[in-house]
Amino acid sequence: MGKSNDPPDCGHCDGKGQATYERPHKEKDGSVTWRKSVENCHVCGGSGKCR
């Protein structure tokens, strides 16, 4: 069991520290496709723990 003062896993990224987003990407022919983008969670900053 962790120390009682350790922050809990953050619910936004399920404790992974990274969240997957769908981002629009403009193709050369002008069409827009959606691509998955994995980024550090905006709440935990990539640590996986709530601040």
Side-chain angles (χ1 to χ4, degrees):
M1 199 151 125
K3 297 177 194 167
S4 60
N5 61 353
D6 284 347
D9 285 345
C10 182
H12 287 258
C13 66
D14 298 324
K16 296 185 297 291
Q18 292 186 322
T20 303
Y21 299 94
E22 293 279 337
R23 296 230 184 255
H25 178 78
K26 197 166 203 173
E27 300 292 342
K28 290 178 184 176
D29 64 3
S31 64
V32 176
T33 58
W34 291 86
R35 293 187 178 176
K36 284 188 179 179
S37 176
V38 180
E39 300 177 11
N40 286 344
C41 182
H42 69 284
V43 175
C44 70
S47 68
K49 302 287 183 182
C50 286
R51 292 183 190 197

